[in-house]
Amino acid sequence: MSPQRGGTPDNQPGEHDRAALALAEYATRLADRPDPVPDEIWDEAAKHFAEKELAAIVLWIATTNFFNLINAATKQPAPQNGG
């Protein structure tokens, strides 16, 4: 987690990390609810990140989900060792 944004000394997620993770969770599970990314989730993320940072987070979420879908469709497991 990013110490420059206030991550905790014991390496636990800070508020900004939790906001980004909540945004990722809601943006990934679009079919689970009628309002996929509620305003309160977006607004909380917007409290912690500038517009360009939010755009980068959304793009990273979309890229990760894209590759997950490709892997699922082609029955290719993602590497477990980060490479």
Side-chain angles (χ1 to χ4, degrees), residues 11-12 18-19 21 31-32 45 55 63 70:
N11 205 28
Q12 295 300 308
R18 286 191 291 278
L21 290 169
D32 290 354
T63 301
I70 295 284

Side-chain angles (χ1 to χ4, degrees), residues 18-83:
R18 286 191 291 278
L21 290 169
L23 179 59
E25 180 71 17
Y26 277 81
T28 298
R29 302 185 59 101
L30 297 174
D32 290 354
R33 53 190 74 80
D35 183 10
V37 180
D39 289 342
E40 58 268 12
I41 297 297
W42 182 264
D43 293 344
E44 184 63 26
K47 287 182 193 175
H48 300 281
F49 299 98
E51 189 173 331
K52 285 185 180 184
E53 292 172 311
L54 280 171
I57 291 168
V58 169
L59 183 58
W60 192 253
I61 293 165
T63 301
T64 301
N65 288 334
F66 169 76
F67 284 110
N68 286 339
L69 287 170
I70 295 284
N71 287 344
T74 60
K75 299 183 192 253
Q76 300 296 311
Q80 299 301 309
N81 62 358

